[in-house]
Amino acid sequence: MSKYIDLVCQSVEIMEYQLGQSVTLKHICDELHISKFHFNRLFKAITGISPKKYMVGRTLSLAADDLIATDESIIDIALKWGFSYSEDFSRSFKRQFKMSPSVYRSRKGAGGNQYKQQPIRDISDRAFINRSGKVELKVSIKRLEEMALLGVETSVSTHENAHLKELEAVTAKFIEETDQSQHLEKKTLYSLVKCEDDGDDLYGVYIGRCVIDKHCNLQGMQGRVIPEGLYASFEYTGRTDRVYEDFERDFYTWIVETEVVLKNVGINMISKHTYKDKVLVLDEILVPVMSMSL
């Protein structure tokens, strides 16, 4: 079994053991020594569901069992399964089961049982490959020298895909403000991405250009460094949104199959953009890794 599939199996055991408690994804990731960014995507690639959605779904499903099997009040059941307020419990319950807890109880689960989140068991390499498909990629491992950047940082949410417009606006403004600078290299633009929360919705994105004059200090700009080291390089062409969709599928299938070791350098992913025919396009995504073995 792939070590990454084994890691996801371990995470499921931790989640199941601590359902209803104040366990966070950060706690799980710290215990398993993996970043939240990669854990969220690995878990979803292998199981088909995000870890946050799985935990909430399992908790609500066990609470649903209590509604049928016990005479406990809805408030007590909500508190038992880690909800501070009955209103939050009722709202989350209705979102998953398409009916309120009281209606679910009165119907003894009829019409709602189909929405229960069953525990994940028996994850295998074969199941993963069958679901995601074999991937034929030209992935290279390259060593980068340290690169000093100057740029701007923003936080974006992937909720309702609004992040692409936000990033386009921030990027366009940055390019306009730095196009005349003699201190920055103009042919390439880098985006450094890091997950900022326990879920998979909020990201910190740093947009910058390589520094030519290391003594320059542009007003309003922040310095960042791309560390020296080994990086897995995925080359793409096409629309940015489509590229990222392809990358997530390709990358997490690839690391499960190769068992390459990821490296935590405070950056989850680097997007490299270059100008082609005066148009800025995304042509490479880089992820820090520990070893060159494929």
Side-chain angles (χ1 to χ4, degrees), residues 59-202:
T59 300
L60 290 170
S61 296
L62 293 174
D65 289 341
D66 282 348
L67 287 170
I68 303 302
T70 74
D71 293 326
E72 293 179 79
S73 69
I74 292 176
I75 293 176
D76 287 341
I77 291 174
L79 293 173
K80 173 183 176 181
W81 290 107
F83 292 86
S84 301
Y85 303 99
S86 59
E87 293 83 0
D88 292 341
F89 172 68
S90 295
R91 189 162 42 247
S92 298
F93 192 95
K94 190 171 183 178
R95 187 180 302 122
Q96 177 162 332
F97 290 95
K98 318 305 178 189
M99 63 182 73
S100 67
S102 58
V103 171
Y104 184 92
R105 170 173 270 174
S106 67
R107 294 181 181 178
K108 298 192 181 300
N113 283 334
Q114 61 181 307
Y115 301 112
K116 279 188 175 180
Q117 174 63 56
Q118 300 301 325
I120 294 174
R121 297 191 178 95
D122 301 324
I123 303 172
S124 68
D125 297 81
R126 183 174 180 80
F128 172 75
I129 292 169
N130 284 344
R131 176 166 48 251
S132 299
K134 290 287 187 179
V135 179
E136 296 181 4
L137 296 171
K138 291 185 67 176
V139 184
S140 61
I141 301 293
K142 59 173 63 175
R143 177 175 290 278
L144 299 184
E145 299 299 323
E146 181 179 286
M147 285 186 281
L149 307 177
L150 272 180
V152 294
E153 189 167 14
T154 185
S155 293
V156 297
S157 170
T158 59
H159 183 60
E160 296 181 351
N161 294 320
H163 62 298
L164 288 178
K165 290 184 178 179
E166 294 177 36
L167 282 177
E168 287 173 359
V170 172
T171 302
K173 183 179 178 182
F174 170 72
I175 291 173
E176 181 182 358
E177 291 176 347
T178 57
D179 258 350
Q180 303 306 315
S181 172
Q182 301 302 311
H183 305 292
L184 302 177
E185 193 273 319
K186 307 296 195 311
K187 295 180 180 179
T188 307
L189 187 78
Y190 291 93
S191 298
L192 282 54
V193 180
K194 183 178 181 181
C195 185
E196 289 191 344
D197 67 354
D198 277 353
D200 54 3
D201 292 335
L202 187 64

Side-chain angles (χ1 to χ4, degrees), residues 3-4 139-143 228-234 251 254-255 258-265 287-294:
K3 67 182 179 184
Y4 289 110
V139 184
S140 61
I141 301 293
K142 59 173 63 175
R143 177 175 290 278
E228 175 190 3
L230 298 175
Y231 291 80
S233 168
F234 293 76
F251 176 67
W254 176 73
I255 66 171
T258 62
E259 300 194 358
V260 68
V261 180
L262 302 175
K263 186 177 182 180
N264 183 9
V265 297
V287 179
V289 296
M290 291 288 290
S291 65
M292 296 183 68
S293 60
L294 296 178

Side-chain angles (χ1 to χ4, degrees), residues 274-294:
T274 57
Y275 280 97
K276 295 181 180 178
D277 298 325
K278 298 183 179 180
V279 177
L280 189 67
V281 296
L282 171 63
D283 61 2
E284 184 180 22
I285 296 177
L286 299 149
V287 179
V289 296
M290 291 288 290
S291 65
M292 296 183 68
S293 60
L294 296 178

